[in-house]
């Protein structure tokens, strides 16, 4: 009798198929999709550029939410770019706002 071999991928797929779907009580929840953020050096560099350009154009200190809104990126992407810029010494924090160094 031949044994059936399973891999981690097929086992995970089988478990996912058996799991009941989660239901949402609100229409907003049902239509909301989870965004993914690719954590690569290239992506972090691009987000750092978005944050830097936004701060340079504004010429004032801005909060994370203000930067995200002005740059049209998510808060997580803003924080990723800010981390890059902090490491490079390009920005400084003042209270709850960030400005170019």
């Amino acid at each position: 009798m031949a044994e059936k071999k399973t891999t981690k991928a097929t086992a995970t797929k089988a478990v996912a198929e058996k799991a009941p779907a989660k239901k949402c009580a609100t229409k907003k929840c049902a239509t909301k999709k989870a965004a993914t953020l690719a954590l690569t050096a290239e992506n972090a560099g691009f987000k750092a550029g978005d944050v830097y350009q936004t701060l340079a154009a504004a010429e004032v200190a801005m909060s994370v939410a203000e930067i995200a809104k002005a740059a049209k990126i998510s808060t997580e992407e803003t924080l990723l770019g800010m981390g890059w810029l902090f490491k490079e010494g390009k920005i400084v924090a003042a209270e709850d706002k960030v400005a170019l160094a």
Side-chain angles (χ1 to χ4, degrees):
M1 198 193 258
E3 291 183 32
K4 185 176 178 183
K5 292 184 179 180
T6 60
T7 64
K8 187 175 182 179
T10 57
T12 304
K13 183 178 178 183
V15 170
E17 290 173 353
K18 290 180 184 178
K22 292 182 181 179
K23 294 188 178 184
C24 185
T26 64
K27 184 178 179 181
K28 183 179 179 182
C29 180
T31 58
K32 186 176 181 180
K33 293 183 180 179
T36 58
L37 176 63
L39 293 176
T40 64
E42 183 178 20
N43 191 25
F46 285 130
K47 299 310 169 191
D50 293 341
V51 171
Y52 189 89
Q53 292 298 323
T54 301
L55 288 170
E59 297 180 349
V60 295
M62 300 174 76
S63 69
V64 174
E66 292 169 336
I67 295 169
K69 184 176 179 180
K72 296 180 180 135
I73 58 178
S74 71
T75 304
E76 291 82 8
E77 292 171 323
T78 303
L79 293 171
L80 179 65
M82 285 174 54
W84 180 293
L85 294 171
F86 274 124
K87 173 95 169 80
E88 296 291 320
K90 303 286 185 186
I91 59 175
V92 294
E95 296 181 26
D96 62 342
K97 299 198 180 229
V98 178
L100 294 177

